[in-house]
Amino acid sequence: MSKRSLPFGCWPSPITATDVARHEGAPNWPVALGEEVWWAEPRPSESGRVALCRTRLDDPAGGTETVLPAPWNARSRVHEYGGRSYALLPGRAGAAVVFSEFGDQRLYLFDPAAGAAPHPLTPDPAMPGALRYIEPVVSPDGAGVLCIREEHTEGDGPEAVRRAIVSVPLDGSAATDPAAVRVVAADHHFLACPRLSPDGGRLSWIGWDHPDMPWDSTELRVADLRDGRATGARTVAGGAGQSVVQAEWGDAATLYCVTDPDGWWNPHRITLDADGAVASGPDSLVGVRREEFGGPLWQLGACWAVPLPDGRLAAVHGTAATRLGLLSPDTGEVADVDTPHTEWSPKLALAGADGGTVVGIAAAPDRPVAPVAVDLADGSWRTLSAGGTESAPFAAFLPRPEARVFTGVGGREVHANLYPPHHPEVTGPAGERAPYVVWVHGGPTSRTPMIYDQEVAYFTSRGIGVVEVNYGGSTGFGRAYRERLRGGWGVVDVEDSVSVAQGLVAEGLADPARLAIRGGSAGGFTSAAALAFSDVFRCAAIQFPIVDLAGWRTGETHDFESHYPESIVGPWPSARDVYERNSPVDHAEDVTAPFVLLQGLEDEICPPVQCERFLSRIRGRGVPHAYLTFEGEQHGFRREDTIRTALEAELSLYAQVFGFETDVPRVELRP
């Protein structure tokens, strides 16, 4: 059947903003106890809470259950980005769970079979949410959990924070007696990945301090556990210019860690002697393999590699895309599991009575993100959640993505994911080029995977192309690529975004008069900077952005990122001129293109004051724009109505600027 021709941008699409909003977010953080597998699941329609769901591997029907009822919200605010907020332990009939409740940030114990509501394990702090917990690990005797505690004090500035690895008893005594929570270790400002050796005699963890970020320099520490406290702590891997992002015990004397002394996050082995000193290592298990077995620790609890009962490791690895492989430590050989998934998240767990099943979070361009179980005995796999069906929603309207490498300034490579407009029944007018939107990921030390994304399809099914830019500074391509951004944030990212847009124009794919840019957080910074420092983009959708680097460096963000600009902008205050030269707020007079600005009013990472300062310098200058704010939203939008409103406002912006008709509510652009 021949396709009919319609102008780009107004193709009829069955994918609505409500569809996108209801499916925003993805299953996350699988944890297993025997045959039970649990995972976290965002619920935009339930005020954006995070529910806990479960299934059983030995259930032939494959049924799933929402275990944690509304309004409970299993989400930690440690580092504001959170991470794995729960752990499983034996309950009356099946697993019970220890989890961090978003509302007050206390730890709670919940046994679904007990017929009672969750009850608190940690004290109610004097300041709301001042004590936060993450990465719980059940102690060998089952009497408590070890976890990272973040304590917010009454001091000034974002750094009025202390962190420690603490033990919390499961009998509930600490809920009324704060002294029952005992400090186990506290030797760095930032802590991650607490792990107990199989015999319970040693504890390992990762630590780092300002001004480093966890992808810059971290240390892997090991200590003996005596009377519930870490003693004799020593560094066994990492240090200046090396980033350890995960460590797991193989046995009481063997630690496997993911670190990058050769510029790539590769798996290494450390052997300890009887006294806990390093007998050998860290030795790479794969030589110098030019691909990543690790990534940035934006959230705590990530797991790229997990030791298997047979001595191998299950490992997520790759460059732009990731696969699940089985690594033999003795030979360095990696045998990839045969599944159709092209992206595996760093969230692995072992399940089954004998640990013979690997559970992870996986996706592909035509498969929604879902928990997936792989049977190591025969290599078979299955999707565990009800939403991860074989046939993706709106399958016929999904774009046909392509991984691309463009040429940037000075001939450098710029990686990107290209999603051309696609509709099963419609095409654009002959000889007409499509409008394109450059999507810029947050971080900026992060990357955008090429997976099923209804938000992308919302635009491409209407005749608007999307290209996601993994600009210099992104992860997934080695340390040298991610360090391109050192001292160049606001320059390299903008140049690479412009280069990709111009590359599409040069290929005859994109209309140079209908190019837009959009991004959130650090991507919002790049989008705003692109309007100020280039004339390529005709409009921008800017979400919860950084726009004032100096303000962000001097107290207008949270502790975790308060020194981040030291590496990607320059040392403060000696590089003040660079901060001002690269900040959109200091060049507001150069912004002439229309934009929509979208901001959560409870955002502690990129607070509204940044947007308000930017707008104060824009208003009255004749630049059409809209500023939409959302009560109850933090960094990143989680609620169905917010996501829908933001998406429709973005489409309305493009329709008005690019000159096509759309049926979404018109956002008013005022000068």
Side-chain angles (χ1 to χ4, degrees), residues 576-655:
R576 178 189 286 270
D577 60 327
V578 181
Y579 283 72
E580 294 174 352
R581 185 167 65 244
N582 294 5
S583 288
V585 74
D586 292 306
H587 299 271
E589 70 278 2
D590 296 321
V591 175
T592 59
F595 63 87
V596 292
L597 187 56
L598 308 164
Q599 178 67 47
L601 293 179
E602 295 180 10
D603 194 337
E604 297 286 340
I605 298 171
C606 297
V609 65
Q610 292 250 325
C611 288
E612 292 159 5
R613 188 176 302 132
F614 181 64
L615 291 172
S616 71
R617 302 182 187 184
I618 288 286
R619 291 191 181 101
R621 293 185 42 253
V623 180
H625 67 277
Y627 181 42
L628 280 64
T629 60
F630 303 97
E631 295 279 357
E633 292 285 9
Q634 296 88 43
H635 195 65
F637 301 147
R638 295 174 176 271
R639 300 184 177 193
E640 181 181 326
D641 55 344
T642 302
I643 298 166
R644 181 182 62 250
T645 299
L647 200 55
E648 291 179 341
E650 182 179 352
L651 181 58
S652 176
L653 169 73
Y654 301 152

Side-chain angles (χ1 to χ4, degrees), residues 475-489:
T475 56
F477 309 97
R479 182 179 278 261
Y481 192 89
R482 74 177 184 265
E483 289 191 346
R484 280 187 192 173
L485 208 59
R486 282 191 169 267
W489 194 24

Side-chain angles (χ1 to χ4, degrees), residues 348-603:
L348 301 181
L350 282 187
D354 58 355
T357 300
V358 175
V359 178
I361 302 294
D366 59 348
R367 291 178 181 272
V369 179
V372 175
V374 177
D375 189 325
L376 296 175
D378 58 13
S380 62
W381 65 275
R382 62 186 171 108
T383 298
L384 299 181
S385 68
T389 57
E390 288 294 321
S391 179
F394 309 111
F397 293 84
L398 298 179
R400 309 296 190 255
E402 179 184 355
R404 295 289 307 276
V405 180
F406 291 85
T407 301
V409 173
R412 65 180 180 238
E413 291 185 344
V414 182
H415 294 268
N417 305 326
L418 180 64
Y419 298 84
H422 173 75
H423 193 291
E425 300 171 359
V426 179
T427 188
E432 183 177 325
R433 299 184 183 188
Y436 262 84
V437 184
V438 171
W439 284 23
V440 189
H441 65 67
T445 310
S446 183
R447 74 177 178 95
T448 302
M450 191 165 62
I451 58 174
Y452 173 88
D453 190 334
Q454 278 193 23
E455 193 169 11
V456 171
Y458 177 79
F459 292 101
T460 57
S461 63
R462 287 169 166 77
I464 303 170
V466 170
V467 61
E468 300 169 332
V469 181
N470 285 315
Y471 47 86
S474 300
T475 56
F477 309 97
R479 182 179 278 261
Y481 192 89
R482 74 177 184 265
E483 289 191 346
R484 280 187 192 173
L485 208 59
R486 282 191 169 267
W489 194 24
V491 178
V492 172
D493 48 325
V494 172
E495 289 177 345
D496 286 358
S497 297
V498 167
S499 294
V500 169
Q502 291 176 329
L504 292 176
V505 170
E507 293 178 16
L509 296 177
D511 183 347
R514 293 188 291 176
L515 293 172
I517 189 168
R518 69 102 84 161
S521 190
F525 167 80
T526 301
S527 299
L531 293 192
F533 305 138
S534 80
D535 58 1
V536 170
F537 301 105
R538 297 296 181 260
C539 61
I542 305 168
Q543 302 175 351
F544 38 90
I546 304 148
V547 289
D548 184 351
L549 293 173
W552 209 60
R553 175 61 185 85
T554 56
E556 290 179 357
T557 190
H558 59 149
D559 175 50
F560 178 64
E561 294 180 83
S562 61
H563 289 234
Y564 194 2
E566 292 286 305
S567 61
I568 56 178
V569 181
W572 181 265
S574 61
R576 178 189 286 270
D577 60 327
V578 181
Y579 283 72
E580 294 174 352
R581 185 167 65 244
N582 294 5
S583 288
V585 74
D586 292 306
H587 299 271
E589 70 278 2
D590 296 321
V591 175
T592 59
F595 63 87
V596 292
L597 187 56
L598 308 164
Q599 178 67 47
L601 293 179
E602 295 180 10
D603 194 337

Side-chain angles (χ1 to χ4, degrees), residues 171-189:
D171 61 9
S173 59
T176 55
D177 178 13
V181 178
R182 299 183 63 190
V183 173
V184 178
D187 63 347
H188 283 279
H189 189 61

